[in-house]
Amino acid sequence: MTDSAQTAPPAIAIRDLQKRYAAQDGTEGTLALKGVSFDVPQGQIFGLLGPNGAGKSTLINILAGLVNKTAGSAEIWGFDIDASPRNAKRSIGIVPQEIVFDPFFTPFEVLENQAGFYGIAKRLRRSKELLDAVRLADKRDAYARTLSGGMKRRLLVAKAMVHSPPILVLDEPTAGVDVDLRRQLWELVTQLHEDGVTVVLTTHYLEEAEQLCDRIAIIDQGKLIANKPTRELVEMAREKIVRVTVDRDLAEAPAHEAFVKSEKLDERTAEITYNKDTMSAGQVLALMQQQGFIIDDVTTREADLEDVFVQLTGTG
Ligand code: ADP
Ligand code: MG
């Protein structure tokens, strides 16, 4: 990123954020956020990554003013969510994880109602422009319930941008979404980013975060376990993987003390993980040949974020 991204005040600043959901039965409840701190730099696409139940939606919903935090603080565009809740809310647009619409409003009405909610004067409204941007101009007067899932998602993005916030947050925008729609959403996000909007997205798809985000924070079980530029995070993966097909059935996965991990994939194929600082793919193959295997086929791959995540959390 540019220098200004490092020196400008952060778009979002989160400090020691904690959330405990009260239990119904008087027991302790769930500690969904255990003191999370990080900044979202201005002008970036920032990925908040973590498995289901990590606390991503809890964090987003605190920023949205939908969930009350238990402790800690958050500033949005310089506005504290407790001291200046209205200004904080005006600075952020949120696309929630769940799609909820009144089925009897049309896309145009959904945007007009939202603009009314923010007290935006009729002549300053952007409903038409936003429908164009999310390619729903031809659905302007259709009932929301007749829209496809993908159209609804796009309408939600438009709805989140009605008050022209400098920050757009998308909570799991591509969970359960097909390839086509995913591409459409990414084009839309990339376009908004080019227009200067700071974008935060949560996802549990590591590949997606790797492709889109300038910077990635990882949370797991309510704790921040990483927060780095994407490239640095990927470089943290010291492990590489080689997939080997041999000429006869494997009784079990090939084993050697120098391998980090070895897994039998099918009768004749095994995947061996090794540390690229200590050995090469050639050495892995040589060790297998010493054990009497004749190798038919080999492919290697760099560790991706999935592997980084496994290395950071020690889970699969
Ligand atoms: P994520 O979005 O990363 O999947 P969530 O923030 O939805 O994670 O959930 C974090 C934890 O908080 C989970 O253990 C979840 O069960 C719990 N949780 C989320 N919402 C509520 C709620 N309204 N009441 C009680 N527990 C909740
Ligand atoms: Mg969630």
Side-chain angles (χ1 to χ4, degrees), residues 111-156:
L111 300 187
E112 286 292 303
N113 291 347
Q114 185 76 354
F117 175 79
Y118 279 103
I120 300 167
K122 279 236 155 57
R123 66 192 162 81
L124 296 176
R125 292 185 186 175
R126 306 167 58 208
S127 303
K128 193 182 165 301
E129 174 200 333
L130 285 166
L131 287 176
D132 283 340
V134 300
R135 300 209 204 115
L136 285 175
D138 58 334
K139 295 287 173 188
R140 167 197 151 119
D141 299 319
Y143 282 133
R145 69 181 147 84
T146 66
L147 302 181
S148 70
M151 292 172 182
K152 285 179 186 159
R153 285 262 175 211
R154 272 151 40 206
L155 179 55
L156 278 176

Side-chain angles (χ1 to χ4, degrees), residues 40-56:
V40 176
Q42 281 187 34
Q44 292 202 340
I45 301 183
F46 187 95
L48 184 61
L49 196 68
N52 284 324
K56 303 182 297 295

Side-chain angles (χ1 to χ4, degrees), residues 147-298:
L147 302 181
S148 70
M151 292 172 182
K152 285 179 186 159
R153 285 262 175 211
R154 272 151 40 206
L155 179 55
L156 278 176
V157 174
K159 189 180 168 196
M161 294 303 296
V162 155
H163 57 299
S164 311
I167 306 168
L168 176 68
V169 177
L170 302 113
D171 193 4
E172 302 261 4
T174 56
V177 146
D178 67 30
V179 179
D180 243 20
L181 174 57
R182 194 175 296 187
R183 197 176 310 118
Q184 285 174 24
L185 278 169
W186 290 153
E187 276 175 20
L188 192 55
V189 163
T190 309
Q191 185 57 52
L192 288 165
H193 174 241
E194 280 169 11
D195 295 343
V197 177
T198 300
V199 178
V200 178
L201 59 97
T202 79
T203 179
H204 59 271
Y205 297 116
L206 304 147
E207 233 185 88
E208 186 163 278
E210 186 174 346
Q211 283 172 17
L212 254 130
C213 300
D214 300 302
R215 192 178 183 90
I216 295 174
I218 302 179
I219 61 169
D220 187 35
Q221 297 179 24
K223 282 202 289 226
L224 189 79
I225 58 169
N227 173 18
K228 287 191 186 305
T230 304
R231 204 180 322 121
E232 270 179 46
L233 202 69
V234 173
E235 276 170 9
M236 280 172 65
R238 308 313 303 165
E239 289 168 5
K240 281 192 78 166
I241 292 133
V242 57
R243 180 175 291 191
V244 185
T245 306
V246 293
D247 67 323
R248 60 191 145 86
D249 288 1
L250 293 158
E252 51 196 26
H256 193 281
E257 58 184 15
F259 300 161
V260 174
K261 201 170 88 184
S262 176
E263 234 178 328
K264 188 174 139 182
L265 296 185
D266 61 41
E267 288 314 318
R268 295 192 172 191
T269 310
E271 227 178 41
I272 292 157
T273 306
Y274 63 97
N275 188 320
K276 68 183 175 194
D277 294 333
T278 57
M279 65 193 303
S280 67
Q283 286 170 312
V284 173
L285 300 182
L287 286 172
M288 286 187 67
Q289 282 162 337
Q290 276 169 30
Q291 294 179 1
F293 291 109
I294 293 171
I295 291 159
D296 272 351
D297 197 16
V298 181

Side-chain angles (χ1 to χ4, degrees), residues 19-24 29-33 49-61 67 97 171-172 202 204 219 222:
K19 174 61 188 178
R20 182 183 293 282
Y21 288 106
Q24 313 292 359
T30 306
L31 193 53
L33 293 175
L49 196 68
N52 284 324
K56 303 182 297 295
S57 292
T58 299
L59 193 150
I60 299 307
N61 290 337
V67 165
Q97 188 169 349
D171 193 4
E172 302 261 4
T202 79
H204 59 271
I219 61 169

